Amino acid sequence: EAQVTQNPRYLITVTGKKLTVTCSQNMNHEYMSWYRQDPGLGLRQIYYSMNVEVTDKGDVPEGYKVSRKEKRNFPLILESPSPNQTSLYFCASSPGGGANTEAFFGQGTRLTVV
Amino acid sequence: QQPVQSPQAVILREGEDAVINCSSSKALYSVHWYRQKHGEAPVFLMILLKGGEQKGHEKISASFNEKKQQSSLYLTASQLSYSGTYFCGTEGWNNDMRFGAGTRLTVKP
């Protein structure tokens, strides 16, 4: 089944404890991205990647890191999480080299930083 | 900058029509529309790539006015299943994506 898989689905952590949210897609998509969703603000892009070893900052990259060593995986790293990073996170992938195609979203990761 | 959606929320009775608008202060290369049901991931509805393009998906259609940097989503003869939050997304020149804050649509029997 074609899908984008995020793990974990729920995470509660403490301030400053490094964490990684994994994202994997099995559709051979080139474009992958991370979003955070907060009430009243919609989806805001954190980072995106046009292809392997190519990553770019989105609207809200501060406090996050990503890597794209393989086409299928695009992990989101929070080196030192803070409470303002409590949010619902979505990973998405799209075929082709840009954003002008349909995006497939993972099921989301609800992160709470205390 | 994020595109601006209006209205923020709308309540309909089954069978009624609705229009959701999306406008941007930047030039638009494409406009995407997604629907998200509560507790789920956003689901793709359609993409409009050219100014003046119109697309349809069952009773949901959209238009894209590139000159005015606007897009509108039209929902006709709404069904209960149309309930959810609708997002427009705009693509920038460097392939970044920006989404509006969303329009919450509630369809009642």
Side-chain angles (χ1 to χ4, degrees):
Chain A
E1 182 191 348
Q3 60 186 2
V4 178
T5 304
Q6 291 179 231
N7 279 298
R9 291 288 309 278
Y10 302 91
L11 179 60
I12 301 175
T13 190
V14 296
T15 299
K17 186 176 181 183
K18 181 179 178 180
L19 67 91
T20 299
V21 184
T22 63
C23 173
S24 181
Q25 50 95 2
N26 62 1
M27 296 170 280
N28 202 36
H29 286 173
E30 293 183 3
Y31 188 97
M32 296 187 73
S33 56
W34 276 102
Y35 299 90
R36 60 177 291 173
Q37 184 173 30
D38 302 290
L41 296 177
L43 294 154
R44 291 181 293 167
Q45 195 174 45
I46 302 170
Y47 270 94
Y48 62 101
S49 169
M50 301 271 289
N51 213 325
V52 175
E53 301 294 359
V54 179
T55 62
D56 284 292
K57 295 178 181 178
D59 260 350
V60 288
E62 294 77 21
Y64 305 95
K65 283 175 58 176
V66 292
S67 67
R68 187 92 182 272
K69 293 187 172 65
E70 306 164 283
K71 201 170 188 178
R72 63 182 293 130
N73 295 324
F74 192 44
L76 180 69
I77 303 155
L78 285 75
E79 295 268 2
S80 183
S82 62
N84 64 13
Q85 292 178 298
T86 292
S87 186
L88 178 59
Y89 291 86
F90 285 102
C91 177
S93 72
S94 308
N100 61 350
T101 50
E102 174 183 356
F104 295 81
F105 283 81
Q107 286 305 104
T109 296
R110 187 166 292 280
L111 172 67
T112 303
V113 184
V114 299
Chain B
Q1 273 186 322
Q2 283 183 285
V4 176
Q5 285 185 236
S6 63
Q8 290 185 342
V10 58
I11 300 174
L12 301 173
R13 292 284 178 194
E14 258 187 307
E16 292 181 338
D17 301 340
V19 180
I20 299 171
N21 298 304
C22 175
S23 64
S24 173
S25 58
K26 293 171 46 173
L28 300 180
Y29 292 85
S30 67
V31 178
H32 303 217
W33 286 97
Y34 289 81
R35 177 172 61 207
Q36 183 180 32
K37 295 195 177 277
H38 183 70
E40 298 181 7
V43 173
F44 172 80
L45 292 175
M46 64 190 79
I47 291 175
L48 299 103
L49 296 176
K50 288 182 279 189
E53 185 174 25
Q54 295 193 18
K55 278 194 174 180
H57 177 74
E58 295 180 345
K59 293 178 183 174
I60 301 174
S61 62
S63 64
F64 177 20
N65 187 325
E66 192 176 6
K67 212 170 183 180
K68 292 185 180 178
Q69 297 172 183
Q70 290 177 346
S71 177
S72 294
L73 186 72
Y74 307 93
L75 299 102
T76 57
S78 57
Q79 305 166 13
L80 294 176
S81 62
Y82 286 4
S83 291
T85 301
Y86 289 78
F87 293 98
C88 72
T90 59
E91 179 196 357
W93 65 271
N94 57 345
N95 297 117
D96 60 332
M97 280 293 298
R98 286 184 169 83
F99 285 91
T103 296
R104 179 172 289 184
L105 178 74
T106 304
V107 181
K108 295 189 172 181

